[in-house]
Amino acid sequence: MSKTILLAVDLNDPQGAERPAEEALELAKAMGAKLHVMNVVPDFGMAVVGSFFTKDHNRQMLDEARSALLEWSQERFGELDGVSFSIDQGTVYEQIIKEASQLGVDLIVVGAHKSQLKDYLIGPNAARIARHAKQSVLVVRD
C-alpha cells in the first residue's frame, strides 16, 4: 500500500496529464496516500546556451512554472490540502527519480504519449523512469 504518490506532469502537455492525474488522485484516495505533484523544467543543456539569457530568466521561468503547476493542480484537485508540489529543473527522468528518492515515495505515476514508431511502447522519459526508479511506476497512456 502506498503512503506517498508522486505524480509527474508535463505542463507543456496539459491534456496528456489529465489521465495520469485522475489515476493518481483515485489511488491516493483509495489508499489514504499523500499526493505530491511535480513538474520538471528542462535546463538549457549547454552553458553557452544559458549565456544568451538574462541573469534572472531562470528564476522567472521557475516562478512561472510553479504558478502554472499550482493553477493546474487546483483546477484538477480542487482543495489542495494534503497535496504537495515541486518544480525541478534538469533532465526530466533524472529529476523525477531524484525527487522520488528524496521524498521516499512508494509509487510514481507518469503519463506516456501514444506510441510512435521511434518510441515503440512508451515515451523515452516514461521508459527511463520505469527502468531506473527504485519505486513502483504506473505508466498511464493518453
Short mmCIF file of all heavy atoms in Angstrom, two decimals, residues 72-133:
data_model
loop_
_atom_site.label_atom_id
_atom_site.label_comp_id
_atom_site.label_asym_id
_atom_site.label_seq_id
_atom_site.Cartn_x
_atom_site.Cartn_y
_atom_site.Cartn_z
N TRP A 72 -2.91 24.63 -12.34
CA TRP A 72 -3.34 23.38 -12.98
C TRP A 72 -3.84 22.39 -11.93
O TRP A 72 -4.88 21.76 -12.11
CB TRP A 72 -2.15 22.78 -13.76
CG TRP A 72 -2.47 21.51 -14.46
CD1 TRP A 72 -2.98 21.39 -15.72
CD2 TRP A 72 -2.33 20.19 -13.95
NE1 TRP A 72 -3.15 20.06 -16.02
CE2 TRP A 72 -2.76 19.30 -14.96
CE3 TRP A 72 -1.89 19.67 -12.74
CZ2 TRP A 72 -2.75 17.92 -14.80
CZ3 TRP A 72 -1.88 18.29 -12.57
CH2 TRP A 72 -2.30 17.44 -13.59
N SER A 73 -3.12 22.28 -10.83
CA SER A 73 -3.49 21.34 -9.77
C SER A 73 -4.80 21.74 -9.10
O SER A 73 -5.64 20.88 -8.80
CB SER A 73 -2.38 21.27 -8.71
OG SER A 73 -1.21 20.75 -9.28
N GLN A 74 -4.98 23.02 -8.88
CA GLN A 74 -6.22 23.47 -8.24
C GLN A 74 -7.42 23.17 -9.13
O GLN A 74 -8.47 22.78 -8.64
CB GLN A 74 -6.14 24.95 -7.92
CG GLN A 74 -7.20 25.40 -6.95
CD GLN A 74 -6.83 26.70 -6.30
OE1 GLN A 74 -6.12 27.52 -6.88
NE2 GLN A 74 -7.29 26.91 -5.09
N GLU A 75 -7.25 23.32 -10.44
CA GLU A 75 -8.34 23.00 -11.37
C GLU A 75 -8.67 21.51 -11.34
O GLU A 75 -9.81 21.12 -11.50
CB GLU A 75 -7.96 23.42 -12.79
CG GLU A 75 -7.92 24.92 -13.00
CD GLU A 75 -7.35 25.30 -14.36
OE1 GLU A 75 -7.06 24.40 -15.18
OE2 GLU A 75 -7.20 26.51 -14.60
N ARG A 76 -7.67 20.65 -11.17
CA ARG A 76 -7.88 19.21 -11.19
C ARG A 76 -8.33 18.65 -9.84
O ARG A 76 -9.16 17.77 -9.77
CB ARG A 76 -6.59 18.47 -11.54
CG ARG A 76 -5.98 18.50 -12.89
CD ARG A 76 -6.75 18.74 -14.03
NE ARG A 76 -6.48 19.36 -15.25
CZ ARG A 76 -6.40 20.65 -15.53
NH1 ARG A 76 -6.36 21.55 -14.62
NH2 ARG A 76 -6.35 21.07 -16.77
N PHE A 77 -7.72 19.14 -8.77
CA PHE A 77 -7.91 18.53 -7.47
C PHE A 77 -8.77 19.35 -6.52
O PHE A 77 -9.09 18.89 -5.43
CB PHE A 77 -6.55 18.27 -6.80
CG PHE A 77 -5.58 17.50 -7.65
CD1 PHE A 77 -4.29 17.96 -7.85
CD2 PHE A 77 -5.95 16.33 -8.29
CE1 PHE A 77 -3.39 17.26 -8.64
CE2 PHE A 77 -5.07 15.63 -9.08
CZ PHE A 77 -3.79 16.09 -9.25
N GLY A 78 -9.14 20.56 -6.91
CA GLY A 78 -9.94 21.41 -6.03
C GLY A 78 -9.12 21.83 -4.83
O GLY A 78 -8.09 22.47 -4.97
N GLU A 79 -9.58 21.44 -3.66
CA GLU A 79 -8.84 21.77 -2.43
C GLU A 79 -7.49 21.07 -2.47
O GLU A 79 -7.39 19.90 -2.82
CB GLU A 79 -9.62 21.31 -1.20
CG GLU A 79 -10.84 22.16 -0.91
CD GLU A 79 -10.49 23.61 -0.62
OE1 GLU A 79 -9.53 23.86 0.13
OE2 GLU A 79 -11.16 24.49 -1.17
N LEU A 80 -6.47 21.78 -2.08
CA LEU A 80 -5.12 21.24 -2.18
C LEU A 80 -4.56 20.81 -0.84
O LEU A 80 -3.36 20.67 -0.68
CB LEU A 80 -4.20 22.27 -2.84
CG LEU A 80 -4.60 22.64 -4.28
CD1 LEU A 80 -3.66 23.71 -4.82
CD2 LEU A 80 -4.60 21.44 -5.19
N ASP A 81 -5.45 20.61 0.15
CA ASP A 81 -4.99 20.12 1.44
C ASP A 81 -4.37 18.73 1.26
O ASP A 81 -4.96 17.86 0.64
CB ASP A 81 -6.15 20.03 2.44
CG ASP A 81 -6.72 21.39 2.78
OD1 ASP A 81 -5.99 22.38 2.62
OD2 ASP A 81 -7.89 21.46 3.17
N GLY A 82 -3.19 18.55 1.79
CA GLY A 82 -2.54 17.25 1.70
C GLY A 82 -1.82 17.01 0.39
O GLY A 82 -1.24 15.95 0.19
N VAL A 83 -1.85 17.98 -0.52
CA VAL A 83 -1.14 17.84 -1.79
C VAL A 83 0.09 18.75 -1.72
O VAL A 83 -0.02 19.92 -1.39
CB VAL A 83 -2.02 18.25 -2.99
CG1 VAL A 83 -1.25 18.11 -4.29
CG2 VAL A 83 -3.29 17.42 -3.04
N SER A 84 1.26 18.19 -2.01
CA SER A 84 2.48 18.99 -2.02
C SER A 84 2.96 19.13 -3.47
O SER A 84 2.54 18.39 -4.35
CB SER A 84 3.56 18.36 -1.14
OG SER A 84 3.84 17.05 -1.54
N PHE A 85 3.86 20.08 -3.68
CA PHE A 85 4.29 20.42 -5.04
C PHE A 85 5.78 20.65 -5.10
O PHE A 85 6.38 21.06 -4.12
CB PHE A 85 3.60 21.71 -5.50
CG PHE A 85 2.12 21.65 -5.43
CD1 PHE A 85 1.45 22.05 -4.29
CD2 PHE A 85 1.39 21.16 -6.49
CE1 PHE A 85 0.09 21.98 -4.21
CE2 PHE A 85 0.03 21.09 -6.42
CZ PHE A 85 -0.63 21.49 -5.28
N SER A 86 6.33 20.45 -6.28
CA SER A 86 7.71 20.86 -6.51
C SER A 86 7.92 21.12 -7.99
O SER A 86 7.26 20.53 -8.85
CB SER A 86 8.71 19.81 -6.01
OG SER A 86 8.55 18.60 -6.71
N ILE A 87 8.81 22.04 -8.24
CA ILE A 87 9.28 22.34 -9.59
C ILE A 87 10.78 22.07 -9.55
O ILE A 87 11.48 22.57 -8.68
CB ILE A 87 9.04 23.82 -9.96
CG1 ILE A 87 7.55 24.14 -10.02
CG2 ILE A 87 9.72 24.16 -11.28
CD1 ILE A 87 6.81 23.51 -11.18
N ASP A 88 11.24 21.26 -10.47
CA ASP A 88 12.66 20.99 -10.57
C ASP A 88 13.13 21.37 -11.96
O ASP A 88 12.31 21.54 -12.87
CB ASP A 88 12.95 19.51 -10.31
CG ASP A 88 12.72 19.13 -8.86
OD1 ASP A 88 13.30 19.80 -7.98
OD2 ASP A 88 11.95 18.19 -8.60
N GLN A 89 14.42 21.48 -12.11
CA GLN A 89 14.98 21.81 -13.41
C GLN A 89 16.10 20.85 -13.73
O GLN A 89 16.91 20.51 -12.87
CB GLN A 89 15.52 23.24 -13.41
CG GLN A 89 15.98 23.69 -14.77
CD GLN A 89 16.34 25.15 -14.80
OE1 GLN A 89 16.73 25.72 -13.79
NE2 GLN A 89 16.23 25.76 -15.96
N GLY A 90 16.12 20.38 -14.96
CA GLY A 90 17.16 19.47 -15.39
C GLY A 90 16.61 18.46 -16.37
O GLY A 90 15.62 18.71 -17.05
N THR A 91 17.23 17.31 -16.42
CA THR A 91 16.78 16.22 -17.27
C THR A 91 15.54 15.60 -16.63
O THR A 91 15.57 15.23 -15.45
CB THR A 91 17.89 15.16 -17.42
OG1 THR A 91 19.07 15.81 -17.90
CG2 THR A 91 17.49 14.06 -18.38
N VAL A 92 14.47 15.49 -17.38
CA VAL A 92 13.17 15.11 -16.84
C VAL A 92 13.23 13.82 -16.02
O VAL A 92 12.89 13.81 -14.83
CB VAL A 92 12.11 15.00 -17.96
CG1 VAL A 92 10.80 14.47 -17.42
CG2 VAL A 92 11.90 16.35 -18.63
N TYR A 93 13.66 12.73 -16.61
CA TYR A 93 13.63 11.46 -15.90
C TYR A 93 14.56 11.45 -14.69
O TYR A 93 14.24 10.88 -13.65
CB TYR A 93 13.90 10.27 -16.83
CG TYR A 93 15.32 10.12 -17.29
CD1 TYR A 93 16.21 9.32 -16.59
CD2 TYR A 93 15.77 10.79 -18.41
CE1 TYR A 93 17.52 9.18 -17.01
CE2 TYR A 93 17.08 10.65 -18.84
CZ TYR A 93 17.95 9.84 -18.14
OH TYR A 93 19.24 9.70 -18.55
N GLU A 94 15.71 12.10 -14.81
CA GLU A 94 16.64 12.14 -13.68
C GLU A 94 16.05 12.90 -12.50
O GLU A 94 16.18 12.48 -11.34
CB GLU A 94 17.96 12.81 -14.09
CG GLU A 94 18.81 11.95 -15.00
CD GLU A 94 20.06 12.68 -15.48
OE1 GLU A 94 20.20 13.90 -15.24
OE2 GLU A 94 20.90 12.01 -16.11
N GLN A 95 15.39 14.02 -12.76
CA GLN A 95 14.81 14.83 -11.69
C GLN A 95 13.64 14.11 -11.02
O GLN A 95 13.45 14.20 -9.81
CB GLN A 95 14.37 16.20 -12.22
CG GLN A 95 15.53 17.07 -12.66
CD GLN A 95 16.54 17.28 -11.55
OE1 GLN A 95 16.20 17.56 -10.42
NE2 GLN A 95 17.81 17.14 -11.89
N ILE A 96 12.84 13.39 -11.80
CA ILE A 96 11.72 12.64 -11.23
C ILE A 96 12.22 11.54 -10.31
O ILE A 96 11.74 11.37 -9.19
CB ILE A 96 10.80 12.09 -12.35
CG1 ILE A 96 10.10 13.26 -13.06
CG2 ILE A 96 9.79 11.10 -11.78
CD1 ILE A 96 9.37 12.87 -14.32
N ILE A 97 13.22 10.80 -10.76
CA ILE A 97 13.79 9.72 -9.94
C ILE A 97 14.43 10.30 -8.68
O ILE A 97 14.26 9.76 -7.59
CB ILE A 97 14.78 8.88 -10.78
CG1 ILE A 97 14.02 8.08 -11.84
CG2 ILE A 97 15.60 7.96 -9.88
CD1 ILE A 97 14.89 7.41 -12.87
N LYS A 98 15.15 11.39 -8.83
CA LYS A 98 15.79 12.05 -7.69
C LYS A 98 14.73 12.51 -6.67
O LYS A 98 14.87 12.27 -5.47
CB LYS A 98 16.62 13.23 -8.18
CG LYS A 98 17.30 14.02 -7.10
CD LYS A 98 18.07 15.17 -7.72
CE LYS A 98 18.53 16.16 -6.68
NZ LYS A 98 19.15 17.34 -7.29
N GLU A 99 13.69 13.17 -7.14
CA GLU A 99 12.63 13.66 -6.26
C GLU A 99 11.93 12.51 -5.55
O GLU A 99 11.65 12.58 -4.35
CB GLU A 99 11.61 14.48 -7.07
CG GLU A 99 10.56 15.15 -6.24
CD GLU A 99 11.03 16.45 -5.61
OE1 GLU A 99 12.18 16.86 -5.84
OE2 GLU A 99 10.25 17.04 -4.87
N ALA A 100 11.67 11.44 -6.27
CA ALA A 100 11.01 10.27 -5.67
C ALA A 100 11.85 9.69 -4.55
O ALA A 100 11.32 9.32 -3.49
CB ALA A 100 10.74 9.21 -6.75
N SER A 101 13.15 9.62 -4.75
CA SER A 101 14.03 9.10 -3.71
C SER A 101 14.11 10.04 -2.51
O SER A 101 14.06 9.60 -1.36
CB SER A 101 15.44 8.86 -4.28
OG SER A 101 15.39 7.82 -5.22
N GLN A 102 14.23 11.33 -2.78
CA GLN A 102 14.33 12.31 -1.69
C GLN A 102 13.06 12.33 -0.84
O GLN A 102 13.13 12.48 0.38
CB GLN A 102 14.60 13.71 -2.23
CG GLN A 102 16.00 13.88 -2.73
CD GLN A 102 16.25 15.26 -3.33
OE1 GLN A 102 15.32 16.00 -3.66
NE2 GLN A 102 17.51 15.60 -3.49
N LEU A 103 11.90 12.19 -1.48
CA LEU A 103 10.63 12.23 -0.75
C LEU A 103 10.26 10.88 -0.14
O LEU A 103 9.35 10.79 0.66
CB LEU A 103 9.49 12.68 -1.68
CG LEU A 103 9.56 14.12 -2.17
CD1 LEU A 103 8.47 14.35 -3.21
CD2 LEU A 103 9.42 15.09 -1.02
N GLY A 104 10.93 9.83 -0.57
CA GLY A 104 10.61 8.50 -0.09
C GLY A 104 9.25 8.02 -0.56
O GLY A 104 8.53 7.35 0.17
N VAL A 105 8.89 8.35 -1.79
CA VAL A 105 7.59 7.94 -2.32
C VAL A 105 7.57 6.44 -2.59
O VAL A 105 8.60 5.81 -2.78
CB VAL A 105 7.19 8.72 -3.59
CG1 VAL A 105 7.22 10.22 -3.36
CG2 VAL A 105 8.04 8.36 -4.77
N ASP A 106 6.37 5.90 -2.60
CA ASP A 106 6.18 4.47 -2.84
C ASP A 106 5.80 4.18 -4.29
O ASP A 106 6.01 3.08 -4.79
CB ASP A 106 5.07 3.93 -1.94
CG ASP A 106 5.31 4.27 -0.50
OD1 ASP A 106 6.25 3.72 0.08
OD2 ASP A 106 4.57 5.11 0.05
N LEU A 107 5.21 5.19 -4.95
CA LEU A 107 4.70 4.99 -6.30
C LEU A 107 4.89 6.27 -7.11
O LEU A 107 4.62 7.36 -6.62
CB LEU A 107 3.21 4.64 -6.26
CG LEU A 107 2.47 4.49 -7.58
CD1 LEU A 107 3.00 3.30 -8.37
CD2 LEU A 107 0.97 4.35 -7.35
N ILE A 108 5.35 6.11 -8.33
CA ILE A 108 5.47 7.22 -9.28
C ILE A 108 4.42 7.01 -10.35
O ILE A 108 4.32 5.93 -10.93
CB ILE A 108 6.87 7.26 -9.94
CG1 ILE A 108 7.96 7.40 -8.88
CG2 ILE A 108 6.94 8.39 -10.97
CD1 ILE A 108 9.37 7.22 -9.42
N VAL A 109 3.62 8.04 -10.61
CA VAL A 109 2.63 7.99 -11.69
C VAL A 109 3.08 8.96 -12.76
O VAL A 109 3.32 10.14 -12.49
CB VAL A 109 1.22 8.36 -11.20
CG1 VAL A 109 0.23 8.35 -12.36
CG2 VAL A 109 0.77 7.41 -10.09
N VAL A 110 3.22 8.46 -13.97
CA VAL A 110 3.70 9.27 -15.07
C VAL A 110 2.88 8.93 -16.32
O VAL A 110 2.44 7.80 -16.49
CB VAL A 110 5.22 9.04 -15.30
CG1 VAL A 110 5.51 7.61 -15.69
CG2 VAL A 110 5.79 10.01 -16.29
N GLY A 111 2.68 9.92 -17.15
CA GLY A 111 1.93 9.70 -18.39
C GLY A 111 2.85 9.28 -19.51
O GLY A 111 4.05 9.53 -19.48
N ALA A 112 2.27 8.63 -20.51
CA ALA A 112 3.01 8.26 -21.71
C ALA A 112 2.17 8.64 -22.91
O ALA A 112 0.98 8.36 -22.95
CB ALA A 112 3.30 6.76 -21.73
N HIS A 113 2.80 9.28 -23.85
CA HIS A 113 2.10 9.65 -25.07
C HIS A 113 1.83 8.40 -25.88
O HIS A 113 2.47 7.37 -25.70
CB HIS A 113 2.96 10.61 -25.90
CG HIS A 113 3.31 11.85 -25.16
ND1 HIS A 113 2.39 12.82 -24.89
CD2 HIS A 113 4.48 12.27 -24.62
CE1 HIS A 113 2.97 13.80 -24.22
NE2 HIS A 113 4.24 13.48 -24.04
N LYS A 114 0.86 8.50 -26.76
CA LYS A 114 0.60 7.38 -27.66
C LYS A 114 1.91 7.06 -28.40
O LYS A 114 2.62 7.96 -28.81
CB LYS A 114 -0.50 7.72 -28.64
CG LYS A 114 -1.84 7.79 -27.95
CD LYS A 114 -2.96 7.87 -28.95
CE LYS A 114 -4.25 7.64 -28.22
NZ LYS A 114 -5.15 8.71 -28.20
N SER A 115 2.18 5.80 -28.48
CA SER A 115 3.47 5.41 -29.04
C SER A 115 3.61 5.80 -30.50
O SER A 115 2.66 5.78 -31.27
CB SER A 115 3.68 3.91 -28.88
OG SER A 115 2.68 3.21 -29.57
N GLN A 116 4.80 6.18 -30.83
CA GLN A 116 5.18 6.45 -32.19
C GLN A 116 6.20 5.38 -32.55
O GLN A 116 6.73 4.70 -31.68
CB GLN A 116 5.81 7.83 -32.32
CG GLN A 116 4.86 8.95 -31.92
CD GLN A 116 5.58 10.30 -31.91
OE1 GLN A 116 6.76 10.40 -32.16
NE2 GLN A 116 4.82 11.33 -31.61
N LEU A 117 6.48 5.24 -33.81
CA LEU A 117 7.41 4.20 -34.24
C LEU A 117 8.74 4.29 -33.49
O LEU A 117 9.28 3.29 -33.05
CB LEU A 117 7.64 4.29 -35.74
CG LEU A 117 8.51 3.19 -36.35
CD1 LEU A 117 7.91 1.82 -36.08
CD2 LEU A 117 8.70 3.42 -37.82
N LYS A 118 9.24 5.52 -33.28
CA LYS A 118 10.54 5.66 -32.63
C LYS A 118 10.49 5.30 -31.15
O LYS A 118 11.51 5.00 -30.55
CB LYS A 118 11.09 7.08 -32.81
CG LYS A 118 10.26 8.13 -32.12
CD LYS A 118 10.85 9.51 -32.34
CE LYS A 118 10.00 10.54 -31.60
NZ LYS A 118 10.55 11.86 -31.68
N ASP A 119 9.31 5.38 -30.52
CA ASP A 119 9.21 5.10 -29.10
C ASP A 119 8.83 3.65 -28.81
O ASP A 119 9.01 3.18 -27.70
CB ASP A 119 8.16 6.02 -28.45
CG ASP A 119 8.57 7.47 -28.51
OD1 ASP A 119 9.78 7.74 -28.56
OD2 ASP A 119 7.68 8.33 -28.50
N TYR A 120 8.28 2.96 -29.77
CA TYR A 120 7.82 1.59 -29.65
C TYR A 120 6.71 1.44 -28.63
O TYR A 120 5.55 1.36 -29.00
CB TYR A 120 8.98 0.63 -29.37
CG TYR A 120 9.94 0.57 -30.51
CD1 TYR A 120 11.12 1.28 -30.47
CD2 TYR A 120 9.63 -0.15 -31.65
CE1 TYR A 120 11.99 1.26 -31.54
CE2 TYR A 120 10.51 -0.18 -32.73
CZ TYR A 120 11.68 0.52 -32.66
OH TYR A 120 12.53 0.50 -33.72
N LEU A 121 6.99 1.38 -27.35
CA LEU A 121 5.95 1.12 -26.36
C LEU A 121 5.54 2.37 -25.57
O LEU A 121 4.38 2.68 -25.47
CB LEU A 121 6.40 0.03 -25.39
CG LEU A 121 6.66 -1.32 -26.04
CD1 LEU A 121 7.24 -2.28 -25.02
CD2 LEU A 121 5.38 -1.88 -26.63
N ILE A 122 6.51 3.04 -24.96
CA ILE A 122 6.21 4.24 -24.20
C ILE A 122 7.28 5.29 -24.49
O ILE A 122 8.33 4.97 -25.02
CB ILE A 122 6.11 3.98 -22.68
CG1 ILE A 122 7.40 3.37 -22.13
CG2 ILE A 122 4.93 3.10 -22.37
CD1 ILE A 122 7.39 3.13 -20.64
N GLY A 123 6.97 6.52 -24.16
CA GLY A 123 7.91 7.61 -24.42
C GLY A 123 9.24 7.42 -23.71
O GLY A 123 9.34 6.65 -22.75
N PRO A 124 10.25 8.14 -24.16
CA PRO A 124 11.59 7.94 -23.60
C PRO A 124 11.71 8.28 -22.12
O PRO A 124 12.40 7.58 -21.39
CB PRO A 124 12.47 8.85 -24.45
CG PRO A 124 11.56 9.76 -25.19
CD PRO A 124 10.23 9.10 -25.25
N ASN A 125 11.04 9.34 -21.65
CA ASN A 125 11.14 9.67 -20.22
C ASN A 125 10.41 8.64 -19.37
O ASN A 125 10.94 8.18 -18.36
CB ASN A 125 10.61 11.08 -19.94
CG ASN A 125 11.60 12.13 -20.38
OD1 ASN A 125 12.78 12.04 -20.09
ND2 ASN A 125 11.12 13.12 -21.09
N ALA A 126 9.21 8.27 -19.77
CA ALA A 126 8.46 7.26 -19.02
C ALA A 126 9.22 5.93 -18.99
O ALA A 126 9.29 5.26 -17.96
CB ALA A 126 7.06 7.06 -19.62
N ALA A 127 9.82 5.58 -20.11
CA ALA A 127 10.59 4.32 -20.18
C ALA A 127 11.78 4.36 -19.24
O ALA A 127 12.06 3.39 -18.52
CB ALA A 127 11.05 4.07 -21.61
N ARG A 128 12.50 5.48 -19.22
CA ARG A 128 13.67 5.58 -18.35
C ARG A 128 13.27 5.57 -16.87
O ARG A 128 13.95 4.99 -16.04
CB ARG A 128 14.45 6.84 -18.68
CG ARG A 128 15.19 6.72 -19.99
CD ARG A 128 15.97 7.97 -20.29
NE ARG A 128 16.71 7.81 -21.52
CZ ARG A 128 16.68 8.69 -22.51
NH1 ARG A 128 15.95 9.79 -22.41
NH2 ARG A 128 17.38 8.48 -23.59
N ILE A 129 12.17 6.24 -16.56
CA ILE A 129 11.69 6.25 -15.18
C ILE A 129 11.33 4.83 -14.76
O ILE A 129 11.74 4.35 -13.70
CB ILE A 129 10.49 7.20 -15.00
CG1 ILE A 129 10.93 8.64 -15.23
CG2 ILE A 129 9.86 7.03 -13.62
CD1 ILE A 129 9.79 9.61 -15.45
N ALA A 130 10.57 4.13 -15.60
CA ALA A 130 10.17 2.75 -15.28
C ALA A 130 11.38 1.83 -15.15
O ALA A 130 11.41 0.94 -14.31
CB ALA A 130 9.22 2.23 -16.36
N ARG A 131 12.38 2.06 -15.96
CA ARG A 131 13.56 1.20 -15.95
C ARG A 131 14.50 1.47 -14.78
O ARG A 131 15.09 0.55 -14.23
CB ARG A 131 14.31 1.38 -17.28
CG ARG A 131 15.41 0.39 -17.51
CD ARG A 131 15.97 0.41 -18.94
NE ARG A 131 16.20 1.72 -19.51
CZ ARG A 131 15.51 2.22 -20.54
NH1 ARG A 131 14.53 1.54 -21.10
NH2 ARG A 131 15.78 3.41 -21.01
N HIS A 132 14.61 2.75 -14.36
CA HIS A 132 15.64 3.09 -13.37
C HIS A 132 15.12 3.41 -11.97
O HIS A 132 15.92 3.41 -11.03
CB HIS A 132 16.47 4.27 -13.88
CG HIS A 132 17.23 3.96 -15.13
ND1 HIS A 132 18.29 3.10 -15.16
CD2 HIS A 132 17.04 4.37 -16.40
CE1 HIS A 132 18.76 3.00 -16.39
NE2 HIS A 132 18.01 3.77 -17.17
N ALA A 133 13.85 3.67 -11.81
CA ALA A 133 13.33 4.04 -10.48
C ALA A 133 13.34 2.82 -9.55
O ALA A 133 13.11 1.69 -9.98
CB ALA A 133 11.91 4.58 -10.59
#
